[in-house]
Amino acid sequence: MKRKLISAIGVAAMMVSIAACGSDDGDGDGGGKAGADGYAGQTLTVWVMDGSSPDQWQKDVAAAFEKKTKAKVKFEVQQWNGIQQKLTTALSEENPPDVFEIGNTQTPAYAKTGGLADLADLKTEIGGDWVESLNESSVFEGKQYAAPWYFANRVVLYNKSVWADAGIKDTPKTRDEFYEDLKTIGEKTDAEPIYLPGQNWYHFVGLTIGEGAELVKKDGDKYVSNLDDPKVAAAMETYQKFQELSKAPKDKDEATPQQGEVFGKGKVGAFIGMGWEAGIAIEANPKIEKEIGYFTIPGATADKPEGVFLGGSNLAVAAGSKKQDLAKEFLRIALSDEFEGQLAKENGVIPNKEALQSNLAGNAVAEAAAPAAAGGGTTPLIAEWAAVENAPNPIKTYMTAVLNGKSPAEAAAQVEEEFNKRLSQQQ
């Protein structure tokens, strides 16, 4: 999945470039450290995705890195289109990337192929207070193969004027309050209460996370569909309850049409999306900018937000890098409180530690997204998952089937064969 930034990035995969030649021994960082100047003359290449890290952040990190190690860092900005194949090829070459950004849900696939270095020592040293839900995607089969970098998740974007016209004075704190507010909008205004297309499947994934459900299960030595789990059904029933308040098509996703454009017309009370989608609404109708507000997706109880899908990126070191020690020095700096906090502040993304969320103050989208991060999650963190998301996505098919009248069990049975076929494809 491809994501823009400005408060969100979801999945992708990522980056490092061809490192300068180093020693062929052992750790390959030029014979190891030899005092303060042990890395002098070396250059570390780091791939980052377009939009992930501001220029000033790169300059500041590079300066701190050079001051500490006497080595230089070369950032190479990569484009989303075609990055997975480019990274796969780079990791198979003699001089692979040193450090690279990788989409959180893509990390297991690269770990399984042996392309990522074990970072257990780094986790012990600097990762003691990484948020568990954010670090989960960096771990594969019990080993730490990456480090959590930044994240974003969906929030409720709402039209303040529509809510005021309905007489609603405050944002809801529970799922039931949210539903009742939307019903009130439908009863007291001419606006569509919520725009929720039938296949906004990342929101549905969030609901399954909130229910504690798993989308796949183990059957012997293979993974198979778990869509017939009652917890998955409960998540789909919640989705259906809200979707019934919407006029959006049941067989389309949030990009067909762009839900931000629909919201921008000013006749929708709310939609569930990424913060950057507000920009789509504003582009469609600049006057709506002053009307847009944001709040955390409410959960079943006021003390726990709704489950959300966490899109984001990790930083990894190539297993074949000749500069692994130097690469870890880079990660110590880039992931330090100073620079992790700076990235959160400048890009409005959720940092890997709760203590750093204070850097989001004043960013309305990020402030709405952050409370849900600790209880968020991802699609199944298995290498076999990648094929499931290819069109036509069987989970989208399942959702539409339920919304068109099938029971969750019937819909699960309808897509089970295709789902399992995807999970069995060789990676």
Side-chain angles (χ1 to χ4, degrees):
M1 111 187 172
K2 203 163 63 169
R3 285 280 179 275
K4 277 187 200 171
L5 201 37
I6 290 305
S7 203
I9 298 252
V11 172
M14 339 302 333
M15 358 345 269
V16 180
S17 142
I18 293 173
C21 294
S23 163
D24 286 332
D25 17 313
D27 296 43
D29 49 339
K33 290 182 272 190
D37 298 329
Y39 299 116
Q42 296 190 46
T43 299
L44 193 78
T45 307
V46 178
W47 283 8
V48 291
M49 297 309 298
D50 183 26
S52 292
S53 53
D55 290 345
Q56 190 60 51
W57 184 90
Q58 291 184 23
K59 291 176 182 177
D60 292 344
V61 169
F65 178 76
E66 184 170 354
K67 181 178 180 180
K68 181 179 180 182
T69 66
K70 303 300 186 288
K72 295 185 180 298
V73 59
K74 181 182 180 184
F75 287 100
E76 294 192 354
V77 177
Q78 306 298 317
Q79 300 302 312
W80 294 110
N81 189 32
I83 187 57
Q84 294 186 47
Q85 182 56 50
K86 184 175 183 179
L87 179 60
T88 298
T89 300
L91 291 176
S92 69
E93 294 176 341
E94 184 178 354
N95 289 311
D98 294 312
V99 177
F100 51 96
E101 178 184 349
I102 185 170
N104 58 344
T105 61
Q106 298 298 324
T107 303
Y110 287 105
K112 183 177 182 179
T113 61
L116 311 183
D118 188 334
L119 299 180
D121 55 342
L122 196 74
K123 169 63 167 66
T124 299
E125 180 186 344
I126 68 171
D129 51 356
W130 288 341
V131 176
E132 184 177 354
S133 61
L134 303 182
N135 185 54
E136 189 177 16
S137 64
S138 293
V139 178
F140 181 71
E141 295 183 344
K143 293 186 178 180
Q144 189 82 30
Y145 282 108
W149 191 22
Y150 66 84
F151 303 86
N153 53 261
R154 283 161 179 77
V155 299
V156 179
L157 295 87
Y158 73 104
N159 186 316
K160 297 176 184 177
S161 288
V162 170
W163 285 57
D165 289 345
I168 303 170
K169 302 185 184 310
D170 199 6
T171 55
K173 300 302 184 289
T174 67
R175 186 189 298 159
D176 286 345
E177 289 178 5
F178 186 24
Y179 182 75
E180 290 302 319
D181 285 346
L182 294 176
K183 281 184 62 179
T184 298
I185 289 171
E187 294 165 357
K188 295 188 175 181
T189 77
D190 61 352
E192 181 177 1
I194 184 171
Y195 185 84
L196 183 61
Q199 296 183 348
N200 187 341
W201 81 287
Y202 281 109
H203 175 50
F204 170 63
V205 169
L207 295 176
T208 67
I209 291 166
E211 292 288 347
E214 298 289 345
L215 296 174
V216 301
K217 61 185 176 183
K218 208 72 183 284
D219 181 15
D221 61 351
K222 62 182 180 182
Y223 288 99
V224 297
S225 169
N226 195 40
L227 289 182
D228 61 355
D229 185 338
K231 292 180 180 179
V232 175
M236 189 60 219
E237 287 163 1
T238 296
Y239 192 100
Q240 183 174 24
K241 179 179 179 179
F242 281 84
Q243 207 279 329
E244 287 174 347
L245 298 176
S246 177
K247 299 175 184 177
K250 294 178 172 61
D251 60 349
K252 303 295 182 184
D253 63 20
E254 67 274 19
T256 316
Q258 287 287 345
Q259 59 184 3
E261 293 181 356
V262 177
F263 181 79
K265 295 176 182 178
K267 290 297 183 179
V268 171
F271 74 98
I272 294 170
M274 304 300 289
W276 53 262
E277 291 182 82
I280 296 175
I282 294 166
E283 184 175 357
N285 176 18
K287 293 180 179 179
I288 204 170
E289 182 172 9
K290 67 181 184 302
E291 305 296 347
I292 301 176
Y294 311 87
F295 59 86
T296 308
I297 305 173
T301 58
D303 61 333
K304 185 179 180 181
E306 187 61 84
V308 292
F309 173 81
L310 295 168
S313 286
N314 301 322
L315 289 175
V317 175
S321 169
K322 297 181 176 68
K323 301 185 178 74
Q324 290 194 20
D325 281 352
L326 186 57
K328 290 177 183 178
E329 289 287 3
F330 172 83
L331 292 181
R332 289 185 184 96
I333 292 169
L335 299 170
S336 67
D337 287 0
E338 177 183 359
F339 294 113
E340 183 75 1
Q342 180 179 341
L343 185 70
K345 187 176 184 66
E346 293 186 12
N347 263 7
V349 290
I350 298 170
N352 58 25
K353 299 179 182 180
E354 285 189 356
L356 298 176
Q357 290 183 7
S358 58
N359 289 281
L360 303 176
N363 184 316
V365 177
E367 288 183 318
T378 65
T379 47
L381 295 170
I382 56 175
E384 294 85 351
W385 180 259
V388 174
E389 297 190 20
N390 294 333
N393 183 330
I395 297 179
K396 289 184 175 183
T397 303
Y398 162 85
M399 295 172 68
T400 295
V402 173
L403 296 175
N404 281 331
K406 288 187 181 293
S407 70
E410 290 171 331
Q414 175 183 326
V415 303
E416 182 178 47
E417 181 179 357
E418 178 62 24
F419 200 135
N420 292 344
K421 179 182 177 182
R422 306 275 185 105
L423 289 169
S424 68
Q425 291 180 12
Q426 294 296 316
Q427 304 302 310

